């Protein structure tokens, strides 16, 4: 026996991009996440094309969801994702909810509800966002989103709103 923790949890990461070749951004981010120490990729959803939520004068998005197994704490995981966003030259146009090269969000982290100044999990917008719920449902149709409910019920109340599967 040693003292190092071997406990891992399943987490779901939302990926989104609408600038600088979004499909390439999402694929590079997937590779970077999977190559991170302490993270193992379990599954990756289809890519989806989605109309922007928020200001409409921005390009459409490409979205996907990745399931991972990780021993990283929620904040360590957040910092890894932020490093990947910056390494891919994250550009955010000035306004709130404006266009971005790459957005990586921790949607779900095991069965935990986390409220920290820098991190809210489950991600606050999960249940209203078709571009999150549908790819998540593809990977985990039985998922219970802590504090929000069962994904099948959430999907039933969430219109597609222009979401289309690519490939
Ligand atoms: N809209 C879509 N369709 N996809 C996103 O990933 C996305 N991300 C955001 C905002 C600006 C809210 N709109 C989005 O952060």
């Amino acid at each position: 026996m040693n003292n190092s923790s071997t406990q891992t949890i399943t987490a779901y990461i939302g990926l989104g991009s609408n600038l600088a070749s979004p499909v390439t951004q999402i694929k590079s981010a997937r590779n970077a996440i999977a190559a991170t120490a302490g993270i193992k990729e379990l599954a990756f959803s289809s890519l989806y094309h989605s109309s922007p939520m928020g200001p409409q004068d921005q390009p459409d998005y490409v979205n996907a969801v990745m399931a991972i197994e990780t021993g990283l704490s929620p904040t360590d995981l957040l910092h890894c994702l932020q490093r990947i966003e910056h390494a891919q030259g994250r550009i955010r146009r000035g306004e709130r909810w404006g266009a971005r090269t790459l957005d990586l969000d921790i949607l779900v982290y095991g069965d935990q509800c986390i409220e920290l100044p820098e991190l809210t999990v489950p991600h606050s917008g999960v249940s209203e966002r078709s571009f999150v719920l549908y790819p998540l449902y593809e990977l985990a149709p039985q998922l219970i989103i802590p504090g929000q409910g069962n994904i099948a019920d959430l999907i039933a109340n969430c219109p597609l709103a222009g979401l289309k599967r690519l490939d």
Side-chain angles (χ1 to χ4, degrees):
M1 282 278 271
N2 65 40
N3 284 326
S4 67
S5 168
T6 51
Q7 209 178 351
T8 59
I9 57 92
T10 300
Y12 295 89
I13 311 295
L15 301 90
S17 168
N18 72 342
L19 291 177
S21 305
V23 169
T24 308
Q25 295 292 340
I26 299 294
K27 289 182 174 170
S28 308
R30 174 190 185 171
N31 292 338
I33 295 168
T36 300
I39 297 181
K40 180 178 155 210
E41 176 176 338
L42 296 178
F44 200 85
S45 74
S46 306
L47 300 183
Y48 289 78
H49 189 267
S50 61
S51 311
M53 176 183 203
Q56 296 297 295
D57 59 341
Q58 57 177 316
D60 285 349
Y61 279 78
V62 175
N63 286 105
V65 169
M66 182 172 184
I68 61 168
E69 186 177 285
T70 187
L72 299 178
S73 69
T75 46
D76 284 348
L77 177 59
L78 174 70
H79 296 147
C80 285
L81 298 177
Q82 288 173 339
R83 274 197 292 276
I84 293 167
E85 289 175 341
H86 291 127
Q88 288 190 211
R90 175 169 169 141
I91 308 161
R92 219 199 246 253
R93 297 214 184 120
E95 77 203 296
R96 180 172 181 256
W97 281 10
R100 66 272 318 275
T101 2
L102 181 62
D103 217 0
L104 301 175
D105 291 320
I106 304 174
L107 303 172
V108 170
Y109 182 92
D111 60 3
Q112 298 188 24
C113 289
I114 301 160
E115 285 285 350
L116 295 170
E118 61 175 342
L119 182 65
T120 300
V121 179
H123 190 270
S124 48
V126 168
S127 58
E128 297 98 57
R129 297 183 175 192
S130 59
F131 57 86
V132 169
L133 282 184
Y134 284 81
L136 189 55
Y137 182 76
E138 206 190 306
L139 300 186
Q142 313 287 344
L143 188 69
I144 310 282
I145 301 181
Q148 300 192 22
N150 151 345
I151 190 157
D153 292 342
L154 295 173
I155 286 255
N157 291 306
C158 184
L160 280 167
L163 188 77
K164 290 195 196 78
R165 206 153 91 174
L166 296 175
D167 11 276

